[in-house]
């Protein structure tokens, strides 16, 4: 019950104006006690999802669970995160405390400096992306991976309820709207991380969700990594690399990763990100766009953003 109360407090942040959240809060005590009883007696059943699309910046298909289910997701996430996070490699940056996109691009800069001996030698980056990652996660493989760490039958029962509450195809997919999906995706691709780090022995490797990158001095060496990585994904995880998103670039051309382009001695904002900021910025969101600028050599972009907001009526 204590976990459910804490999970409710964490879940409702930034959502208190939503009608479904207000409705749940109106009878909060009754709702949480009822939920606790359903979980205790294993009569809990996951509800349906509400489906909609958002641009972030590309079009994404979101599936939103009921408030009750999302409180359960949060409660489960709070427990599982601390079991699995220590098992993840250091250079996995998505949906983890003290990680994120900015930590990843700063780490990339550190890798570049080391790989080039402080910009004295050339380096190239192999960047790859998994094709329709969330839609193609195999639910049974995911469950088997979780069972390697979690052996409590009650917890496994609840995990199964959540995993099998959704499917893009038979036994395939995770919904983008669930907080548990973020953790489950890291558990799934942690297999790839260990393969690349320990089997392929790649020193300069980092991953953010299904977008990963490897640095090396030789193009042919990076080209030769593509096949074994693709075969591992297909054989072990039933995933495929996106053929149009396998890119090898020289550092001096700019390594485009997570909204920033890393170059020798400096970093700039990706052109698409810059254009989107200038198109969408307003008085309410200017702080977030200024924050993006502060992690790059983007003084002129920041001034343009401030000027646009200043001229808005």
């Amino acid at each position: 019950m204590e976990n459910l109360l804490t999970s409710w407090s964490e879940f409702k942040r930034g959502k208190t104006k939503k009608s479904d959240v207000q409705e749940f809060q109106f009878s909060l005590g009754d709702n949480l006690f009822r939920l606790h009883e359903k979980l205790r007696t294993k009569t809990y059943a996951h509800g349906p999802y509400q489906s909609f699309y958002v641009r972030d910046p590309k079009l994404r298909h979101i599936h939103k669970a009921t408030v009750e289910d999302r409180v359960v997701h949060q409660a489960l996430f709070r427990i599982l995160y601390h079991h699995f996070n220590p098992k993840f490699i250091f250079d996995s940056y998505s949906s983890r405390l003290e990680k994120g996109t900015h930590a990843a691009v700063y780490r990339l800069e550190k890798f570049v400096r080391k790989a080039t001996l402080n910009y004295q030698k050339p380096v190239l980056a192999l960047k790859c992306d998994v094709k329709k990652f969330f839609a193609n996660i195999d639910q049974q493989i995911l469950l088997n991976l979780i069972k390697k760490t979690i052996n409590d039958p009650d917890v496994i029962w609840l995990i199964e309820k959540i995993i099998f509450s959704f499917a893009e195809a038979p036994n395939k997919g995770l919904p983008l709207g669930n907080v548990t999906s973020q953790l489950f995706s890291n558990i799934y691709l942690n297999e790839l991380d260990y393969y690349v780090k320990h089997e392929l022995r790649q020193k300069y490797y980092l991953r953010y969700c299904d977008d990963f990158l490897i640095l090396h001095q030789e193009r042919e060496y990076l080209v030769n990594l593509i096949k074994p990585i693709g075969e591992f994904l297909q054989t072990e995880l039933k995933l495929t690399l996106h053929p149009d998103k396998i890119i090898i670039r020289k550092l001096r051309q700019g390594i485009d990763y997570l909204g920033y382009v890393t170059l020798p001695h400096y970093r700039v904002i990706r052109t698409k990100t810059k254009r989107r900021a200038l198109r969408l910025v307003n008085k309410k969101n200017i702080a977030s766009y200024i924050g993006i600028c502060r992690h790059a050599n983007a003084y002129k972009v920041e001034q343009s953003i401030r000027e646009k907001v200043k001229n808005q009526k």
Side-chain angles (χ1 to χ4, degrees):
M1 192 63 199
E2 183 183 346
N3 187 25
L4 287 178
L5 281 165
T6 305
S7 300
W8 162 256
S9 297
E10 291 177 355
F11 159 75
K12 72 173 182 176
R13 283 182 202 143
K15 304 183 185 78
T16 51
K17 292 183 180 179
K18 303 283 186 181
S19 59
D20 55 349
V21 176
Q22 290 176 347
E23 186 179 336
F24 191 90
Q25 188 166 19
F26 185 76
S27 303
L28 181 61
D30 290 342
N31 286 331
L32 289 182
F33 277 113
R34 192 181 303 114
L35 175 57
H36 180 259
E37 185 64 12
K38 284 193 281 187
L39 291 167
R40 190 185 66 81
T41 58
K42 290 189 178 177
T43 55
Y44 166 78
H46 200 287
Y49 288 90
Q50 179 188 348
S51 170
F52 57 94
Y53 290 87
V54 297
R55 286 202 172 274
D56 183 34
K58 66 181 180 181
L59 195 66
R60 296 186 186 275
H61 194 186
I62 305 297
H63 291 84
K64 176 181 161 187
T66 65
V67 172
E68 177 180 270
D69 291 330
R70 284 183 285 162
V71 172
V72 172
H73 300 166
Q74 190 71 38
L76 185 64
F77 177 86
R78 292 187 72 249
I79 302 301
L80 293 184
Y81 179 86
H82 298 290
H83 282 274
F84 284 99
N85 190 57
K87 297 178 182 296
F88 298 151
I89 67 165
F90 182 87
D91 289 308
S92 162
Y93 288 88
S94 173
S95 306
R96 296 177 68 191
L97 295 173
E98 299 180 1
K99 298 288 183 176
T101 56
H102 294 135
V105 294
Y106 279 103
R107 182 67 164 171
L108 173 58
E109 182 185 344
K110 188 174 182 179
F111 277 175
V112 164
R113 286 203 309 270
K114 285 186 175 181
T116 60
L117 298 179
N118 214 17
Y119 306 110
Q120 298 302 307
K121 291 187 175 184
V123 76
L124 299 96
L126 166 65
K127 200 174 81 156
C128 300
D129 197 301
V130 176
K131 188 175 183 180
K132 294 183 178 177
F133 170 56
F134 278 92
N136 286 311
I137 287 174
D138 185 287
Q139 295 173 345
Q140 193 56 54
I141 291 175
L142 171 61
L143 187 59
N144 292 341
L145 291 173
I146 291 170
K147 284 179 177 178
K148 289 180 180 179
T149 299
I150 305 297
N151 55 22
D152 185 312
D154 294 334
V155 180
I156 293 297
W157 167 82
L158 182 55
I159 290 170
E160 287 177 344
K161 287 286 183 185
I162 293 172
I163 290 176
F164 297 124
S165 68
F166 173 87
E168 287 278 3
N171 296 317
K172 288 273 189 180
L174 290 178
L176 280 175
N178 288 5
V179 66
T180 48
S181 295
Q182 300 167 10
L183 176 61
F184 291 162
S185 67
N186 272 336
I187 293 169
Y188 206 76
L189 285 182
N190 192 48
E191 300 300 299
L192 172 67
D193 297 341
Y194 271 80
Y195 174 71
V196 174
K197 292 290 290 184
H198 300 292
E199 296 293 326
L200 299 181
R201 297 183 178 278
Q202 295 309 300
K203 187 176 180 182
Y204 302 120
Y205 165 84
L206 53 85
R207 178 180 64 80
Y208 187 93
C209 194
D210 63 322
D211 193 352
F212 60 93
L213 183 148
I214 300 170
L215 298 181
H216 199 270
Q217 287 79 18
E218 298 174 15
R219 176 179 290 272
E220 187 178 353
Y221 181 90
L222 291 174
V223 169
N224 289 336
L225 289 176
I226 297 169
K227 185 179 179 182
I229 289 172
E231 288 176 349
F232 176 86
L233 285 170
Q234 181 64 54
T235 304
E236 301 297 325
L237 301 175
K238 296 185 180 178
L239 298 172
T240 56
L241 290 174
H242 198 304
D244 300 329
K245 295 184 178 179
I246 300 172
I247 299 165
I248 297 177
R249 286 180 69 86
K250 296 175 182 176
L251 173 62
R252 59 182 174 79
Q253 294 174 301
I255 301 171
D256 188 337
Y257 193 59
L258 302 177
Y260 295 91
V261 179
T262 297
L263 291 138
H265 303 287
Y266 69 106
R267 179 171 53 246
V268 297
I269 298 172
R270 179 191 289 161
T271 302
K272 282 185 180 178
T273 307
K274 199 186 308 179
R275 288 174 182 162
R276 188 169 70 251
L278 289 169
R279 186 176 75 252
L280 300 177
V281 70
N282 56 49
K283 290 177 182 177
K284 291 183 179 179
N285 63 23
I286 185 173
S288 62
Y289 286 116
I290 294 299
I292 290 171
C293 293
R294 294 292 166 87
H295 294 278
N297 298 73
Y299 176 78
K300 289 184 179 179
V301 180
E302 181 178 335
Q303 293 307 109
S304 298
I305 286 171
R306 291 185 184 279
E307 192 65 28
K308 181 171 180 184
V309 172
K310 183 180 175 182
N311 295 331
Q312 286 175 351
K313 293 181 180 179

